[in-house]
Amino acid sequence: MEQLFREEKMRVSTSQLQQLTIFTTVLTGSGSGTMYYLLQKKFVESDYHRLALQKLEACPVAMESLGAPPLKVHNIHLTDRNNRIDQRTAQSVSTAIESTSQIKIPVTGSETGGYLYTSSIQDPDTNRWSLKQAVLKLREGQTIDLLNPPSPASAEITKGLDTSR
């Protein structure tokens, strides 16, 4: 009789297992979605992201090449190896933490799109970020260095030239 009681106690109905599976799936999915949202928000609110976009918006050649405004900034790909933030302890008496960021921001305008490749470094004393690199690479292959942008006049001249030879 005790053996029968143990078997009855161990049984779980199929509908209970289905409910448990659905609950676990929903909980895992919402947790993953929340984590993705929070990571994207952290990138967008960061100074290194903001500085890169300001540099892009301040370059008339880059904005015109994209067909912006309007400029649309898309979510970065979290699994892309080009997106990373590194913190290293600087070798000094104060053991300040030096941080670097490298991100690849997808952007589009009304004419084309591309990626804004940036590299930044954080000053350990002031905690301020500064851009080391900001390059816009368009789908068509054109590259624009935003830290040393071309003048609008020279961009018009090179746009019409056949540089493939």
Side-chain angles (χ1 to χ4, degrees):
M1 185 74 173
E2 190 175 316
Q3 177 87 14
L4 183 63
F5 180 71
R6 282 187 192 157
E7 287 179 18
E8 287 294 319
K9 197 173 185 183
M10 299 289 280
R11 289 186 185 162
V12 178
S13 72
T14 304
S15 69
Q16 287 175 325
L17 286 175
Q18 287 174 339
Q19 288 174 355
L20 182 61
T21 302
I22 291 169
F23 174 75
T24 303
T25 303
V26 169
L27 188 63
T28 303
S30 64
S32 297
T34 301
M35 184 66 113
Y36 179 84
Y37 169 77
L38 291 174
L39 285 171
Q40 288 292 342
K41 185 177 176 185
K42 184 175 180 171
F43 272 108
V44 169
E45 291 176 349
S46 66
D47 287 339
Y48 46 84
H49 190 277
R50 182 183 47 79
L51 285 170
L53 290 176
Q54 284 176 347
K55 194 56 94 171
L56 173 61
E57 291 170 349
C59 180
V61 173
M63 294 294 282
E64 184 179 326
S65 296
L66 286 166
L71 176 67
K72 183 161 178 149
V73 180
H74 304 276
N75 287 337
I76 65 168
H77 304 289
L78 297 176
T79 56
D80 191 324
R81 292 172 20 163
N82 286 302
N83 297 318
R84 65 175 181 264
I85 310 301
D86 297 322
Q87 289 185 342
R88 290 174 279 194
T89 305
Q91 300 299 323
S92 68
V93 178
S94 65
T95 63
I97 295 177
E98 177 185 89
S99 298
T100 60
S101 78
Q102 182 177 325
I103 55 176
K104 176 180 162 186
I105 307 168
V107 293
T108 55
S110 61
E111 292 182 24
T112 191
Y115 289 98
L116 176 56
Y117 291 85
T118 70
S119 179
S120 304
I121 190 162
Q122 186 180 34
D123 184 317
D125 297 324
T126 63
N127 286 335
R128 290 189 175 202
W129 287 92
S130 59
L131 284 172
K132 289 192 322 183
Q133 176 189 25
V135 175
L136 176 65
K137 291 189 180 179
L138 300 173
R139 288 181 192 142
E140 296 77 24
Q142 183 183 6
T143 302
I144 302 170
D145 182 354
L146 301 176
L147 297 182
N148 300 303
S151 67
S154 67
E156 284 301 317
I157 293 169
T158 58
K159 222 180 205 183
L161 293 177
D162 181 10
T163 57
S164 61
R165 294 185 185 154

